[in-house]
C-alpha cells in the first residue's frame, strides 16, 4: 500500500472504474423492492459548479449511495436546464467575441441552431464538474429541459422533455388554467423580456428624490400647514394652488393617472375627488384616497403611475385609475402613436411633448424633465435619497415594471392541492406519524414550510412567457380576428382553424402576421402565426419529476420511480421551483412529486458573510478539490450541514478533514503491516478479547447512530458521529490497545485481533463511503481482492446486540482514566516526555480487574511509571477520580507551582478584559440592532469560546490550589 492517498491521481481512476462497471445505473445493487429516487435540481447547461452546487449535490450523493448500498432500487436522475436568458446571453456574447452576425442578423432559425451548438459545447463542463465531486447519478439517463425540441442534435438520447412540456401547456390551457392577459411584469430592457422575481436583484443606489408641483384644476387653492408646535399641531399655513409629489423616477410622470393621499391626512382630505393637471402633457388626473399614501413619508401625496409601478398598479385597481404605458421594450419613451398617452390631453401639448421626449432613453428623459420642471417653476426641490433599485441579475440594468401582454397560469385554480398536501404532511410529521407512502409531503426544517405557505396562500398569477428565442415556443397561433388556437402540433392547429371556419378552408402558417382570403361572404383561406414568445424556464423545470421519467409515455421508469422520494434544494427556490413542481404535478398527474423536501442553508465564508465576487470571499469548489481532494470537501460540507443553520466554510476546516482521510489511510496501513486481512465468515459476535469485544460494540453503536441521523436528515450528526468513532475510538484507541495483543505471543489472540482489526477497518470504509467515496473505494480495493466494489457492498445491519456491556464498561473506565491523567498533565504543563509516578488511594474490585487486564496499556498511553497504593494522597498530588477509584499524580516537585499559578492568573486577567468587552457589546441594544447579523453571531461565538477557555483555566488553578 502507498504511504499516502494521492487524491489527484486516485479520483479520476476510481471515477473511470465506477463508470466502467456502470455502478450508478438505476437499480444497480438492488436487493429489495423499495425504490429510492432523487431528482437532481438541474443546473444551467452553460453553468459551472459553485459552492451551493457542491453542498447540494454532496447531500444528495450521501443519501443515494447510502440507499444503494442498503439494496434499495435507486435512481439519482441527472440533467441540465436550458436556462433561457443565461444560455441566450452566453451564446450572444461568444458570437460577438467571434465576430459572428448578431442574433437579429441571423434570424430565429439560424440563431437557434447556433444555441444548440453552444449547448452541446457547454454541457460537458457542469456534468464533468459534478463527476469530480463524486456525484453518483445514472449518467446514462441524463435529461435536458428542451430535449427532443426542434433542432436538438441529441434527440432520442434522453426523454422527449419538449413534448411533455407542450402537452402540459395545452392541457392546462384547455382546462382554463392558462390565459393571455395584460399585466405588470418585471421587464429587462436589455434582453427585452419579462423576468421572474428570482432573476431580480436589489441594488442600493445613491439617488435623488425629486419634488414636483402639480397644479390644482379650476383655480382651486388650499391652506397648507408649514409650521408646527411641539405636539405636531400646525401653527402657520400658506395658500397653495398645487400639490407637491415626490418621486425617484420623474420620467414616469408622463404615465401618471392620479395622485393618492391618505384618507385621514388632514392636509389633503378636502381635496379628495378634485383634480390636478399634469405638466408637459396637460392630462387632468384625480386626487384619490388610498392608505398606500403615507402621511409621514415625503409630502404625503404620491403620484400614481399604474403601468410602471407594482404598488401604483394596485392603487389604480382600487381607485379606478387608468394604466398608460409610456415606454418601449428598450425603456425609451413611447409617445408617438400612443393613443392611451394622448387621450384627454390638449393636442398642442401632446405634439410638443412628442417632439421633445419621444424615443428618448429613460435616463435622458429624466434629466430633460427635471430641467423643464426647474425652468418652468414646477420643481419644488431635490433631496439626496439612498434607495434600492431592482436590476436584472444577468443584464445588470435597472428593470422596469412594464405593462404588456403575457401568458399566465391562473395559480389560484391549482394551488389548493399543493397547500393541502403539505399541510397533511406537516401535521403527520408533527404528530410523529409521518408515512413516506401516504401521498403527502413534508418540508424540513419546519420553518421553511412557513415560507412555502406564505407564498402559496398569497399566490399571484404566474407569468410564464418570455420574450426570448431560446426556449419552448408557446404553442398558440392567432388568426386575423385574434382568435387563439392552442395545439401541440401544427396539424392540431389546422384542425382547430377548420373547426371554426369550415373544413374546406385552406390554412397557411405565416411568420409574425395573420392573413385571410375571402370569396364573397365566405373565408376560403386563413393565415395564422405562432406566438413568438417562449415559456419561462421555471414552467418546464416545474415538470422535472415526471418529464425526466418519460411521461406522458407509460415508461418503466415512470411506473417504478414516481412519485420520487426526496428533494434536496436551497431555500431561495422554495416558491420558484418546489411550490411549482408541487402545483404542476398535482394538476397534471394528481400526485405529489416527492414525500420529503429537505431545504439546506447557505454556504457562507468563515466569518458568516455571504460569498460574493465583489467581496473577494468566494471559495471555488473545484479549486478546493484540487488542493484538498473531493473527500475532504464533501466531509466538511456534510459535517457542517446542521438543519436550518448556515455553514461558515473555511479552508482550515477542509484541511482538517483531509487529515482525517490521511488518518484512515494510515490506520489501513497499520493493519496491513500487522498482517490484518479480511477473514471469510468472520463473526464479530464471537470475539473473546475484551478490547476486540469493545471495538465491535463501538462500530455497531456508530452504525446505528449514523443511520438514525441520516434517516432524520441530520447530515452533520451522521458525519460528526463517524468522525468521532473512526478517529477517536478506532484510530486513537483501538490501534493502540491492539499493540499489546499483537505482541502477546498467543497465536489465538493474535489471529482474533488481526481478523477483528480487518473487520473494523472494513466497517469504517463501508460507513464512511457515502460521505468520502474516493479514499474508501481506493482502500477497499487495495486491502484485499473483493467480489464487488465498495460502492455496491451491502450495508451492515448489525445493531446494538453486538455491544458487550462488560467490555464496554471496562474499556470506558480505562479510556476515562488515561484521558484524566493526560488532562492533568496538559493543564499543569508537565513535560510531554516525562513519565510520572501514579498513586492509588482507592480502587474497587471491578476497577482492580480492569487495571490488571490493561495495566501495560494504561502505563504506556498515560506516560506514567508504575502505580503505588497509598492510604491517602500526599500534599502536592493532583486528585484523579474515576468510577470506583481515586488516583493521584504527584507533580509538586516536577513543576514550579507558583510560577504556573502566576502564568495562569495573567492569562485569566487578559481573558477577563476580553470577556468584559464582548459582554458589553452584546448587552448594548444598539449593537444588536445595528450590527450585521453575522457580526453579532461572530461576537456570540467568540464569547462562548472565551468563556470555555476561562473555565479551563479556573479548573487548572483549582488543581494547583489543591497541591500547594
Amino acid at each position: 500500500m502507498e504511504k499516502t492517498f494521492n487524491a489527484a491521481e486516485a479520483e479520476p481512476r476510481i471515477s473511470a472504474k465506477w463508470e466502467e462497471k456502470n455502478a450508478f445505473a438505476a437499480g444497480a445493487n438492488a436487493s429489495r423492492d423499495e425504490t429510492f429516487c432523487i431528482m437532481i435540481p438541474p443546473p444551467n447547461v452553460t453553468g459551472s459548479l459553485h459552492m451551493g452546487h457542491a453542498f447540494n449535490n454532496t447531500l444528495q450523493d450521501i443519501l443515494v449511495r447510502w440507499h444503494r448500498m442498503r439494496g434499495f432500487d435507486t435512481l439519482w436522475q441527472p440533467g441540465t436546464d436550458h436556462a433561457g436568458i443565461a444560455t441566450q446571453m452566453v451564446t450572444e456574447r461568444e458570437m460577438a467575441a467571434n465576430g459572428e452576425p448578431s442574433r437579429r442578423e441571423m434570424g430565429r432559425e439560424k440563431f437557434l441552431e447556433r444555441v444548440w451548438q453552444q449547448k452541446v459545447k457547454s454541457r460537458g463542463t457542469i456534468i464533468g464538474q459534478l463527476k469530480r465531486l463524486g456525484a453518483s447519478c445514472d449518467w446514462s439517463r441524463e435529461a435536458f429541459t428542451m430535449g427532443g425540441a426542434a433542432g436538438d442534435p441529441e434527440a432520442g438520447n434522453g426523454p422527449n422533455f419538449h413534448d411533455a412540456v407542450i402537452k402540459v401547456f395545452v392541457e392546462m390551457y384547455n382546462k382554463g388554467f392558462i390565459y393571455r392577459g395584460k399585466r405588470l411584469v418585471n421587464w429587462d430592457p436589455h434582453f427585452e423580456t419579462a423576468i421572474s422575481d428570482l432573476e431580480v436583484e436589489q441594488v442600493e443606489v445613491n439617488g435623488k428624490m425629486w419634488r414636483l408641483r402639480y397644479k390644482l384644476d379650476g383655480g382651486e387653492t388650499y391652506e397648507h400647514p408649514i409650521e408646527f408646535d411641539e405636539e405636531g399641531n400646525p401653527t402657520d399655513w400658506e395658500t397653495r394652488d398645487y400639490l407637491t409629489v415626490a418621486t425617484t423616477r420623474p420620467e414616469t410622470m408622463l404615465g401618471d393617472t392620479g395622485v393618492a393621499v391618505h384618507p385621514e391626512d388632514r392636509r389633503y382630505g378636502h381635496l379628495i375627488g378634485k383634480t390636478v393637471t399634469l405638466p408637459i402633457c396637460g392630462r387632468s388626473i384625480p386626487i384619490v384616497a388610498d392608505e398606500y399614501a403615507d402621511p409621514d413619508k415625503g409630502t404625503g401625496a404620491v403620484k400614481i403611475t399604474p403601468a410602471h409601478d407594482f404598488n401604483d398598479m394596485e392603487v389604480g385597481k382600487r381607485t379606478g385609475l387608468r394604466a398608460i404605458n409610456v415606454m418601449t421594450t428598450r425603456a425609451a419613451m413611447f409617445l408617438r402613436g400612443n393613443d392611451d398617452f394622448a387621450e384627454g390631453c390638449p393636442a398642442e401639448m401632446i405634439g410638443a411633448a412628442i417632439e421633445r421626449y419621444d424615443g428618448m432613453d429613460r435616463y435622458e428623459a429624466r434629466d430633460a424633465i427635471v430641467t423643464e420642471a426647474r425652468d418652468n417653476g414646477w420643481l419644488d426641490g431635490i433631496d439626496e435619497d439612498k434607495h434600492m433599485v431592482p436590476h436584472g441579475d444577468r443584464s445588470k440594468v435597472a428593470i422596469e415594471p412594464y405593462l404588456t401582454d403575457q401568458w399566465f397560469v391562473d395559480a389560484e385554480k391549482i394551488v389548493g392541492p399543493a397547500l393541502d398536501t403539505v399541510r397533511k404532511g406537516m401535521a403527520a410529521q408533527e404528530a410523529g406519524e409521518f408515512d413516506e407512502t401516504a401521498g403527502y409531503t413534508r418540508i424540513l426544517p419546519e420553518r421553511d414550510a412557513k415560507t412555502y405557505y406564505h407564498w402559496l396562500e398569497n399566490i399571484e398569477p404566474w407569468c410564464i412567457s418570455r420574450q426570448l428565442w431560446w426556449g419552448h415556443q408557446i404553442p398558440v397561433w392567432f388568426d386575423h380576428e385574434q382568435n387563439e388556437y392552442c395545439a401541440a402540433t401544427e396539424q392540431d392547429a389546422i384542425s382547430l382553424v377548420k373547426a371554426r371556419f369550415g373544413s374546406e378552408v385552406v390554412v397557411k402558417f405565416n411568420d409574425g402576421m395573420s392573413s385571410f382570403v375571402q370569396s364573397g361572404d365566405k373565408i376560403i383561406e386563413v393565415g395564422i402565426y405562432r406566438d413568438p414568445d417562449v415559456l419561462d424556464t421555471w414552467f418546464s423545470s416545474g415538470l422535472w419529476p415526471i418529464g425526466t421519467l418519460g411521461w406522458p409515455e407509460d415508461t418503466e421508469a415512470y411506473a417504478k420511480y414516481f412519485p420520487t422520494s426526496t428533494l434536496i434544494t436551497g431555500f431561495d427556490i422554495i416558491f420558484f421551483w418546489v411550490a411549482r413542481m408541487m402545483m404542476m404535478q398535482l394538476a397534471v398527474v394528481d400526485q405529489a412529486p416527492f414525500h420529503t423536501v429537505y431545504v439546506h442553508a447557505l454556504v457562507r465564508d468563515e466569518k458568516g458573510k455571504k460569498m460574493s465576487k465583489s467581496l473577494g470571499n468566494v471559495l471555488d469548489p473545484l479549486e478546493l478539490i484540487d488542493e484538498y481532494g473531493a473527500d475532504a470537501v464533501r466531509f466538511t460540507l456534510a459535517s457542517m450541514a446542521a438543519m436550518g443553520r448556515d455553514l461558515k466554510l473555511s479552508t482550515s476546516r477542509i484541511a482538517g478533514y483531509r487529515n482525517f482521510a490521511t488518518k484512515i489511510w494510515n490506520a489501513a496501513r497499520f493493519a496491513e503491516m500487522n498482517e490484518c486481512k479480511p477473514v471469510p465468515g468472520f463473526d464479530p459476535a464471537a470475539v473473546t478479547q475484551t478490547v476486540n469485544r469493545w471495538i465491535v460494540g463501538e462500530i455497531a453503536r456508530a452504525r446505528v447512530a449514523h443511520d438514525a441521523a441520516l434517516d432524520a436528515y441530520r447530515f452533520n450528526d451522521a458525519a460528526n458521529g463517524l468522525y468521532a468513532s473512526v478517529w477517536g475510538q478506532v484510530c486513537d484507541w483501538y490501534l493502540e490497545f491492539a499493540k499489546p495483543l499483537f505482541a502477546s505471543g498467543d497465536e489465538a489472540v493474535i489471529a482474533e485481533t488481526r481478523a477483528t482489526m480487518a473487520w473494523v477497518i472494513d466497517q469504517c470504509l463501508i460507513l464512511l463511503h457515502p460521505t468520502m467515496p474516493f479514499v474508501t473505494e481506493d482502500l477497499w480495493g487495495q486491502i484485499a481482492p473483493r467480489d464487488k466494489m465498495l460502492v455496491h457492498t451491502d450495508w451492515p445491519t448489525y445493531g446494538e446486540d453486538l455491544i458487550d456491556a462488560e467490555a464496554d464498561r471496562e474499556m470506558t473506565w480505562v479510556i476515562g482514566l488515561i484521558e484524566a491523567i493526560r488532562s492533568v498533565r496538559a493543564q499543569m504543563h508537565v513535560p510531554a516526555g516525562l513519565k510520572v509516578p501514579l498513586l492509588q488511594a482507592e480502587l474497587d474490585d471491578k476497577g482492580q480487574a480492569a487495571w490488571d487486564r490493561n495495566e501495560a496499556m494504561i502505563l504506556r498511553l498515560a506516560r506514567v511509571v508504575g502505580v503505588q497504593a497509598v492510604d491517602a494522597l500526599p500534599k502536592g498530588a493532583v486528585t484523579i477520580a474515576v468510577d470506583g477509584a481515586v488516583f493521584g499524580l504527584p507533580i509538586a516537585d516536577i513543576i514550579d507551582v507558583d510560577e504556573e499559578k502566576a502564568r495562569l492568573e495573567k492569562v485569566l486577567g487578559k481573558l477577563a478584559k476580553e470577556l468584559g468587552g464582548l459582554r458589553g457589546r452584546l448587552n448594548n441594544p444598539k449593537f444588536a440592532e445595528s450590527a450585521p447579523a453575522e457580526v453579532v453571531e461572530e461576537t456570540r461565538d467568540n464569547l462562548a469560546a472565551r468563556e470555555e477557555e476561562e473555565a479551563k483555566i479556573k479548573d487548572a488553578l483549582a488543581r494547583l490550589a489543591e497541591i500547594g
Side-chain angles (χ1 to χ4, degrees):
M1 191 179 293
E2 296 292 330
K3 288 186 176 180
T4 57
F5 174 65
N6 183 347
E9 179 278 327
E11 288 171 4
R13 169 170 51 80
I14 293 166
S15 291
K17 192 71 176 292
W18 284 331
E19 291 207 24
E20 176 193 332
K21 297 289 187 183
N22 207 19
F24 308 151
N29 200 51
S31 60
R32 52 206 287 182
D33 293 334
E34 298 105 311
T35 61
F36 181 78
C37 179
I38 281 188
M39 293 281 155
I40 196 171
N44 290 355
V45 70
T46 56
S48 294
L49 192 74
H50 56 61
M51 213 66 237
H53 289 137
F55 183 35
N56 180 284
N57 284 279
T58 293
L59 300 185
Q60 290 179 82
D61 195 47
I62 289 170
L63 290 183
V64 167
R65 288 178 183 269
W66 181 51
H67 279 85
R68 187 186 291 121
M69 294 173 79
R70 290 161 68 206
F72 282 76
D73 187 331
T74 303
L75 167 63
W76 186 6
Q77 173 63 53
T80 52
D81 193 289
H82 67 276
I85 289 182
T87 303
Q88 186 161 316
M89 180 184 74
V90 168
T91 305
E92 291 195 68
R93 185 186 297 153
E94 185 165 301
M95 286 164 53
N98 294 341
E100 299 175 56
S102 70
R103 168 170 63 96
R104 297 193 183 280
E105 289 170 338
M106 271 188 177
R108 185 167 190 151
E109 187 175 341
K110 290 293 183 185
F111 176 71
L112 289 178
E113 289 179 10
R114 179 65 177 80
V115 183
W116 279 112
Q117 294 171 16
Q118 190 74 34
K119 178 262 177 185
V120 172
K121 173 185 174 183
S122 300
R123 169 209 153 266
T125 301
I126 187 70
I127 298 301
Q129 291 167 344
L130 286 169
K131 289 181 179 180
R132 284 204 62 194
L133 184 69
S136 63
C137 304
D138 183 352
W139 298 110
S140 69
R141 293 185 49 84
E142 184 187 337
F144 181 54
T145 54
M146 271 185 64
D152 180 4
E154 298 173 317
N157 291 341
N160 191 327
F161 208 94
H162 171 76
D163 285 3
V165 171
I166 297 303
K167 177 180 174 63
V168 168
F169 183 98
V170 173
E171 289 186 357
M172 293 181 73
Y173 178 93
N174 290 335
K175 291 176 180 177
F177 297 163
I178 290 178
Y179 66 94
R180 188 169 184 258
K182 193 179 287 289
R183 285 181 66 92
L184 210 56
V185 296
N186 294 314
W187 187 266
D188 189 316
H190 176 78
F191 290 114
E192 294 183 80
T193 182
I195 59 176
S196 70
D197 290 342
L198 191 64
E199 295 161 315
V200 175
E201 58 185 13
Q202 298 294 334
V203 178
E204 189 174 57
V205 299
N206 293 314
K208 290 180 171 57
M209 180 76 76
W210 289 271
R211 300 192 307 277
L212 308 177
R213 296 177 178 180
Y214 289 0
K215 196 173 183 65
L216 289 160
D217 288 338
E220 286 280 348
T221 63
Y222 75 105
E223 299 302 308
H224 189 85
I226 55 174
E227 291 187 15
F228 304 86
D229 62 20
E230 293 179 355
E231 296 179 356
N233 298 310
T235 58
D236 196 12
W237 295 260
E238 70 176 14
T239 301
R240 290 185 177 180
D241 62 354
Y242 60 85
L243 274 185
T244 301
V245 298
T247 180
T248 58
R249 297 198 300 155
E251 66 277 13
T252 64
M253 66 163 292
L254 296 173
D256 285 0
T257 58
V259 174
V261 297
H262 195 280
E264 297 178 5
D265 192 332
R266 290 182 295 172
R267 294 171 297 176
Y268 306 122
H270 62 290
L271 297 176
I272 294 169
K274 299 187 182 301
T275 59
V276 295
T277 296
L278 197 62
I280 299 180
C281 66
R283 183 183 304 123
S284 182
I285 59 177
I287 301 168
V288 298
D290 194 276
E291 293 183 354
Y292 171 67
D294 185 347
D296 299 322
K297 186 176 181 180
T299 65
V302 183
K303 61 185 283 299
I304 302 299
T305 321
H308 293 283
D309 184 279
F310 289 102
N311 290 318
D312 289 7
M313 174 59 81
E314 295 308 310
V315 174
K317 288 178 182 177
R318 291 192 292 268
T319 57
L321 300 178
R322 285 198 297 151
I324 301 175
N325 177 32
V326 291
M327 289 191 195
T328 69
T329 58
R330 298 288 290 178
M333 305 314 295
F334 165 49
L335 307 182
R336 193 181 304 277
N338 186 340
D339 294 339
D340 289 338
F341 168 67
E343 183 182 335
C345 300
E348 66 279 6
M349 294 187 73
I350 287 296
I354 290 172
E355 289 304 314
R356 289 199 301 276
Y357 297 109
D358 184 62
M360 188 178 284
D361 174 78
R362 55 182 165 170
Y363 297 122
E364 293 176 1
R366 175 182 296 181
D367 293 341
I369 288 170
V370 171
T371 298
E372 181 167 342
R374 182 183 294 111
D375 293 346
N376 293 333
W378 47 278
L379 178 65
D380 191 75
I382 304 174
D383 303 313
E384 297 299 319
D385 186 70
K386 183 177 286 189
H387 56 274
M388 306 301 289
V389 175
H391 283 63
D393 67 343
R394 301 283 180 185
S395 65
K396 305 303 179 186
V397 303
I399 67 107
E400 281 291 338
Y402 193 66
L403 188 63
T404 180
D405 286 317
Q406 301 287 342
W407 289 95
F408 296 89
V409 172
D410 192 348
E412 282 191 355
K413 292 182 177 179
I414 62 172
V415 73
L419 275 167
D420 293 342
T421 300
V422 173
R423 286 192 181 117
K424 290 176 183 175
M426 295 309 295
Q429 172 74 11
E430 189 174 339
E433 300 170 353
F434 187 82
D435 178 359
E436 293 180 353
T437 65
Y440 45 54
T441 300
R442 62 180 170 180
I443 297 177
L444 304 174
E446 287 82 355
R447 71 178 189 191
D448 287 305
K450 295 178 182 177
T451 303
Y452 179 90
Y453 294 146
H454 171 77
W455 278 106
L456 269 62
E457 288 168 354
N458 299 279
I459 198 82
E460 293 283 338
W462 169 19
C463 177
I464 56 171
S465 48
R466 296 292 180 266
Q467 289 63 52
L468 302 168
W469 286 357
W470 174 244
H472 298 278
Q473 191 172 353
I474 288 172
V476 176
W477 287 260
F478 299 93
D479 65 18
H480 56 286
E481 297 174 351
Q482 286 299 290
N483 294 310
E484 298 172 359
Y485 303 95
C486 181
T489 66
E490 289 187 349
Q491 190 57 50
D492 289 347
I494 291 172
S495 299
L496 292 173
V497 176
K498 287 180 177 289
R500 179 180 293 275
F501 290 101
S503 60
E504 301 301 318
V505 73
V506 175
V507 181
K508 288 173 53 180
F509 291 96
N510 296 338
D511 186 11
M513 59 180 292
S514 61
S515 64
F516 70 97
V517 176
Q518 191 167 351
S519 177
D521 293 336
K522 187 175 183 181
I523 292 177
I524 60 172
E525 180 183 286
V526 175
I528 58 176
Y529 70 94
R530 188 171 182 174
D531 192 312
D533 291 354
V534 299
L535 285 167
D536 172 22
T537 297
W538 294 108
F539 185 90
S540 51
S541 61
L543 297 169
W544 191 242
I546 56 175
T548 53
L549 296 174
W551 184 92
E553 301 299 324
D554 189 18
T555 65
E556 181 183 349
Y558 178 68
K560 181 185 289 187
Y561 297 113
F562 188 85
T564 69
S565 306
T566 300
L567 178 76
I568 296 184
T569 187
F571 69 91
D572 53 336
I573 54 174
I574 291 173
F575 173 66
F576 293 99
W577 192 44
V578 178
R580 286 165 177 173
M581 280 192 287
M582 290 290 293
M583 287 192 294
M584 293 184 74
Q585 260 66 204
L586 285 162
V588 174
V589 297
D590 197 28
Q591 284 182 289
F594 22 69
H595 60 66
T596 298
V597 178
Y598 175 83
V599 182
H600 64 72
L602 193 66
V603 182
R604 298 180 179 271
D605 73 4
E606 60 186 309
K607 294 183 178 178
K609 291 183 179 178
K610 189 173 181 178
M611 292 186 189
S612 73
K613 291 180 180 177
S614 60
L615 292 176
N617 64 346
V618 173
L619 291 175
D620 183 333
L622 296 171
E623 292 178 1
L624 296 174
I625 289 172
D626 286 340
E627 185 169 357
Y628 302 103
D631 290 321
V633 173
R634 289 168 59 110
F635 200 91
T636 303
L637 293 170
S639 71
M640 301 177 75
M643 194 179 290
R645 190 184 309 159
D646 287 350
L647 284 76
K648 294 181 182 178
L649 189 62
S650 69
T651 54
S652 61
R653 288 288 294 265
I654 302 171
Y657 289 120
R658 179 182 59 186
N659 295 342
F660 181 41
T662 301
K663 192 82 170 178
I664 299 163
W665 190 271
N666 289 339
R669 289 187 70 236
F670 176 84
E672 180 189 51
M673 287 186 288
N674 285 279
E675 302 177 38
C676 303
K677 289 290 183 183
V679 175
F682 173 77
D683 181 5
V687 296
T688 60
Q689 297 300 301
T690 302
V691 167
N692 292 333
R693 299 199 323 270
W694 165 74
I695 196 61
V696 164
E698 287 298 311
I699 292 295
R701 185 179 280 123
R703 200 284 300 169
V704 171
H706 172 271
D707 287 7
L710 277 194
D711 199 48
Y713 299 91
R714 290 184 283 106
F715 295 93
N716 60 317
D717 290 341
N720 293 328
L722 289 181
Y723 182 88
S725 179
V726 174
W727 187 307
Q729 306 301 87
V730 175
C731 298
D732 277 357
W733 292 112
Y734 180 60
L735 299 191
E736 292 297 331
F737 290 161
K739 288 176 181 177
L741 300 180
F742 286 140
S744 66
D746 186 322
E747 289 303 321
V749 170
I750 294 170
E752 179 189 291
T753 305
R754 282 174 174 165
T756 304
M757 184 170 289
W759 180 85
V760 166
I761 296 296
D762 272 4
Q763 299 312 300
C764 290
L765 299 182
I766 292 169
L767 297 178
L768 283 168
H769 179 76
T771 313
M772 304 182 84
F774 290 105
V775 67
T776 54
E777 187 74 80
D778 204 20
L779 282 170
W780 184 259
Q782 291 199 39
I783 287 172
R786 311 281 190 173
D787 293 334
K788 295 195 289 187
M789 295 184 75
L790 180 55
V791 67
H792 286 168
T793 294
D794 294 337
W795 194 258
T797 57
Y798 49 71
E800 294 183 354
D801 53 300
L802 286 183
I803 298 174
D804 184 304
E806 195 60 40
D808 188 55
R809 184 164 44 249
E810 179 172 316
M811 297 315 298
T812 299
W813 186 90
V814 170
I815 291 170
L817 175 58
I818 294 170
E819 286 181 336
I821 296 171
R822 286 175 170 177
S823 175
V824 169
R825 292 180 62 113
Q827 282 185 337
M828 302 295 102
H829 274 218
V830 175
L834 184 65
K835 290 193 174 183
V836 182
L838 185 65
L839 305 178
Q840 172 194 314
E842 297 176 21
L843 188 61
D844 63 13
D845 291 343
K846 287 185 178 179
Q848 187 66 60
W851 176 274
D852 292 341
R853 282 191 288 267
N854 299 280
E855 180 176 7
M857 285 190 294
I858 296 170
L859 297 178
R860 184 169 63 85
L861 296 176
R863 300 198 69 77
V864 292
V865 50
V867 64
Q868 179 185 349
V870 295
D871 293 332
L873 294 178
K875 187 174 182 181
V878 177
T879 302
I880 298 171
V882 292
D883 186 26
V886 175
F887 293 93
L889 213 58
I891 61 170
D893 297 331
I894 298 172
I895 64 169
D896 187 323
V897 175
D898 292 335
E899 182 181 323
E900 186 62 17
K901 278 184 180 178
R903 184 186 72 80
L904 291 175
E905 284 169 352
K906 184 178 179 181
V907 173
L908 201 60
K910 183 181 178 183
L911 263 179
K913 290 180 181 178
E914 289 185 41
L915 286 166
L918 291 168
R919 287 170 181 144
R921 292 175 73 187
L922 289 170
N923 290 333
N924 183 350
K926 290 184 178 178
F927 172 72
E929 291 169 6
S930 60
E934 63 266 19
V935 173
V936 176
E937 187 179 352
E938 184 180 357
T939 305
R940 288 197 183 106
D941 291 345
N942 202 0
L943 175 63
R946 294 292 177 272
E947 286 176 336
E948 185 179 351
E949 188 179 350
E950 180 188 45
K952 288 179 180 177
I953 292 172
K954 286 182 175 179
D955 186 41
L957 281 169
R959 288 186 184 276
L960 287 171
E962 179 188 347
I963 64 175

